[in-house]
Amino acid sequence: MNDANIENADSRKVVVTTSWDDGHLLDFKLGEILNKHGIKGTLYVALGNRERMSMNPTRLKEISEMFEIGGHTRTHTPLSGLSPERMKDEIAGCKKDLEDLLGKEIQMFCYPRGIYNDLARKTVIEAGYIGGRTTRQFLTTAGTDRFLMPTSMHAFPYTALMRCRHCMKNSNYKGLAKILKYGIGKRWHELGARLFEEAVANNGVWHLWGHSWELETHSIWDDLNELLEMIGNRDNVKHMTNGEFAASTNWATG
Ligand SMILES: [Zn+2]
């Protein structure tokens, strides 16, 4: 199947979209960098995250005035092996909780740890989301399925071996070929910049994702700033939230 046609987004421009998972308080620091460079962001939040505390409802309301908020399940449970009832509770329940809290429609969903199955995808559709983001990376096209959207780059200092393993685990052979071509040992933001140039050349999409707490843990805020400064200064870029991108693209499925 061919990748979705992003003509509607504006065929003369590369689409730049970013997404950040888990609703950590450091998203406010991240938000300052995104705003400084005119980059849009979608924040995926699991209000009852059992692994890592999400920001409180007051702060979430505050940041939702600046960035799109998406669903990330109720408890940050990996979506495999759950019963249909539990799946629905995690996926549709999360949408309802966030909509009740924020008073606006929640359009996008992100699979915790990038784990999903057919039932999870189907439940995301039935819950009324317009798209779902995975953790497949090193891709600069829209992909074929709005409910399994790929990404270009994870803001994380992977080793070459980790990059290979991640691609193999997801049967992401296109991504693997890409990083072998561009330099598998490149620093993450250099590889991100190379993938951006590829997206520009193909009128594609460049989707950066990550976690603000990982930027802190690995001290890579300066790398992020450098990468986004380069992109923020470029012409012919269409900046979109994940939801705007999902809504404006001609998808073959869903
Ligand atoms: Zn997460």
Side-chain angles (χ1 to χ4, degrees), residues 160-225:
L161 185 63
M162 285 164 82
R163 283 184 181 135
C164 282
R165 273 202 199 128
H166 192 272
C167 286
M168 296 304 284
K169 203 172 78 182
N170 292 296
S171 308
N172 180 10
Y173 305 114
K174 266 190 197 172
L176 183 61
K178 206 75 72 64
I179 52 176
L180 289 170
K181 180 175 160 194
Y182 294 148
I184 198 160
K186 263 198 165 68
R187 293 184 65 199
W188 77 271
H189 62 301
E190 293 166 349
L191 189 53
R194 185 64 194 80
L195 288 161
F196 174 74
E197 297 306 337
E198 177 187 278
V200 169
N202 300 334
N203 294 325
V205 55
W206 187 80
H207 187 160
L208 177 70
W209 78 280
H211 304 92
S212 55
W213 53 268
E214 280 179 345
L215 301 173
E216 181 80 8
T217 303
H218 298 282
S219 306
I220 53 174
W221 290 105
D222 289 347
D223 294 347
L224 178 76
N225 191 51

Side-chain angles (χ1 to χ4, degrees), residues 21-22 44 46 49 51 72 76 110-114 133 209 211 213:
D21 301 0
D22 297 354
Y44 289 107
N49 193 336
E51 298 172 12
H72 198 36
H76 205 265
C110 170
Y111 304 91
R113 297 195 210 164
R133 201 216 73 203
W209 78 280
H211 304 92
W213 53 268

